[in-house]
Amino acid sequence: MNHPTRRRQPKAHAMVNWATFAVVLAVVVIMLGAWTRLVDAGLGCPDWPGCYGFMTVPQSETHIAIANTRFPETPVDVVKGWTEMIHRYAAGTLGLVVFGLAACALRHRRSGVPFKLPLFIAGFILLQGAFGMWTVTLKLWPQVVALHLLGGFTTLSLLAVLVFRLRAFPAAQSTSARVTPEAPSGPAASASSLARLRPWLYGGLLLIILQIALGAWTAANYAAVACTDLPTCQGQWWPEGMDFRHGFDITQHVGPNYLGGQLTAGGRVAIQVTHRAGALLVLAYFGILLAWIWRRNNSRELHGPVRLVATALATQIALGLGNVLFHIPLPVAVAHNAMGAGLLLSVIYLIWRHHLLPQAQLSTATHTTIMHQEVTA
């Protein structure tokens, strides 16, 4: 029997490699952003895209004197300046890689490689760059900081989807001319359960996104240290004086320097308690969902992704607990941000693998359900 070739075209193969590199670089940028925020270097350079009017951090006595004259309210701190600039250099490199992917995809679009998604990512990264600028020029205004953090996770997710699509491209192209239905690998009841699974998977993805948004708001308002004990907060299950209205006020005015935060203690406690409640909800939801998938997926196609999500979730919960128990140690806090990205990617990968399940299995499940409804009607 002649099997269709699965060899990638040279350009498609190169795009897979560069897109994978972009995913890794996006994770690095997220970690550097967390590091910058945690060491209070978000305004290490008070202007953008340079640093005190220079392309690099001023270090000589002459340049430092000029910089302090230009920005008398923010004297030069060389260490914080380099922390901020390294983050910018990494983000700029990621932007160049994304633009290269978009240009390559557009040039070779007639070969069938995805080109709309790379173009969209290129446009989105321009918006992300604008948020990076506003983060500095608006002096860490929480709304912009939170959106900038979410934009980083969005960029990472889009790049991961691009990698999945590029890896599936040669197989899809080579088999498009001759598709043969596969027999379902499990009982009809199991296949029917998998067919009904998709909305629950997307519901889980939405929960992860909301929890990441809560984490971004927590970081933007410096609320991570509002509760320093477990499982209670300030010795209470429901702390007195929590101010949810103040904590989730998105109308904070532009103007003040938000380095260190401007919220009252009650507002920060409300944010932290909400973030903890969200973590418990995510843990319970995915605990039930992953167990259900594991039991129903007789053909085991999803067992690997399920293990991946479970491992990422357990690690993320452990890192979150470590942040509180050890009072936000820098390596643990940065790892917590990185594992948030890992958990998001693992859930996206689980959804992608579910989409790749043999179509005959899912269509048979749907047909069986309809036949059962007709017979029992």
Side-chain angles (χ1 to χ4, degrees), residues 3-67:
H3 296 280
T5 180
R6 296 172 64 91
R7 183 179 303 170
R8 288 188 179 92
Q9 297 180 8
K11 291 299 179 183
H13 181 72
M15 286 186 66
V16 169
N17 293 338
W18 280 105
T20 303
F21 172 71
V23 168
V24 175
L25 185 55
V27 174
V28 171
V29 171
I30 287 174
M31 294 176 67
L32 287 173
W35 185 283
T36 302
R37 190 169 58 255
L38 289 162
V39 298
D40 294 329
L43 295 178
C45 295
D47 52 338
W48 191 95
C51 189
Y52 291 91
F54 300 95
M55 290 306 298
T56 62
V57 180
Q59 296 187 100
S60 68
E61 292 184 3
T62 302
H63 285 175
I64 290 176
I66 294 173

Side-chain angles (χ1 to χ4, degrees), residues 204-265:
L205 178 61
L206 178 61
L207 274 181
I208 294 293
I209 293 171
L210 291 175
Q211 183 63 7
I212 290 173
L214 276 173
W217 190 248
T218 301
N221 288 281
Y222 299 85
V225 294
C227 301
T228 57
D229 53 328
L230 281 171
T232 57
C233 176
Q234 300 183 353
Q236 303 173 72
W237 290 102
W238 191 257
E240 297 180 1
M242 283 193 298
D243 190 346
F244 287 93
R245 183 175 181 178
H246 183 57
F248 292 93
D249 179 15
I250 61 173
T251 63
Q252 300 173 50
H253 63 285
V254 178
N257 187 331
Y258 283 93
L259 182 64
Q262 294 281 331
L263 293 184
T264 62

Side-chain angles (χ1 to χ4, degrees), residues 43-91:
L43 295 178
C45 295
D47 52 338
W48 191 95
C51 189
Y52 291 91
F54 300 95
M55 290 306 298
T56 62
V57 180
Q59 296 187 100
S60 68
E61 292 184 3
T62 302
H63 285 175
I64 290 176
I66 294 173
N68 288 335
T69 302
R70 290 172 175 171
F71 298 90
E73 296 180 356
T74 54
V76 174
D77 186 320
V78 174
V79 174
K80 290 184 177 181
W82 273 115
T83 302
E84 169 66 5
M85 288 305 293
I86 289 172
H87 177 222
R88 294 185 190 180
Y89 294 151

Side-chain angles (χ1 to χ4, degrees), residues 32 73 126 135 166 184 226 329 338 344 350 374:
L32 287 173
E73 296 180 356
L126 289 175
T135 295
L166 286 170
L344 176 63
L350 174 60
E374 291 177 349

